[in-house]
Amino acid sequence: MAQVTVTDPARDYLAQLIEKQDVEGMGVRIFVTQPGTKNAETCLAYCPPNEVVPTDEQVDLDKFILYLDHNSVPFLEEAYVDYSKDQMGGQLTIKAPNAKVPKIDDDAPLPDRVNYILASEINPNLAAHGGEVSLVEIVDESVAVLRFGGGCQGCSAVSLTLKQGVESTLKERVPEITAVRDVTDHSYTENAYYQ
């Protein structure tokens, strides 16, 4: 079963929403649309009893049942649902670090582990500037050859991002990586975040 954490405030908030639906046995389904892609989205939806799917995993949260969509389970590992009150009422937050790439084992092939760290840790940060980075290949058994795109391509701060962000994170999280090489053509600056 996937490890999905629903905090007490989130559980209580969702229970209040369910109660307003006035449907006996109403639950909540969590699922990922387009799992395993860069467009993956983690979603919550009401799940009335007549829409329960027999293959879904069920988590009893005391106040309601949380249904984990069977096809989404590998992508929901370590998902976290929280609710925090604010001046506008509150905000429900869903974090699913494995939605774009399912969690992999420590003994997975080196390129898979590098791609996992790129998708789950590095690219979400680069996305704030419209950027992304992808693995081209591993050379000399320990050098990750990368290509930057979007707002990172041609960006004047890319060398800083590469050394202090990408390379340090990859070397820390995937110890077999000893260096990172950038093969991006940075002469194209049309989409660059910093020019």
Side-chain angles (χ1 to χ4, degrees), residues 61-161:
L61 296 178
D62 293 329
K63 298 183 178 191
F64 62 91
I65 301 292
L66 178 68
Y67 297 95
L68 309 180
D69 173 66
H70 176 73
N71 294 329
S72 300
V73 166
F75 303 93
L76 291 171
E77 188 67 38
E78 298 179 2
Y80 181 81
V81 182
D82 190 23
Y83 178 78
S84 57
K85 291 186 176 188
D86 60 25
Q87 297 168 349
M88 302 300 286
Q91 179 168 340
L92 186 68
T93 304
I94 308 168
K95 294 182 180 178
N98 301 302
K100 296 180 187 323
V101 170
K103 185 167 180 148
I104 58 170
D105 295 325
D106 291 338
D107 61 350
L110 185 57
D112 291 351
R113 289 183 285 139
V114 169
N115 279 322
Y116 176 76
I117 298 302
L118 292 175
S120 65
E121 295 183 29
I122 294 171
N123 279 333
N125 293 324
L126 296 178
H129 294 170
E132 64 183 7
V133 64
S134 60
L135 177 67
V136 175
E137 63 181 332
I138 304 284
V139 297
D140 301 329
E141 297 182 15
S142 65
V143 178
V145 179
L146 305 176
R147 177 171 286 118
F148 285 88
C152 291
Q153 184 176 7
C155 178
S156 62
V158 76
S159 61
L160 185 66
T161 300

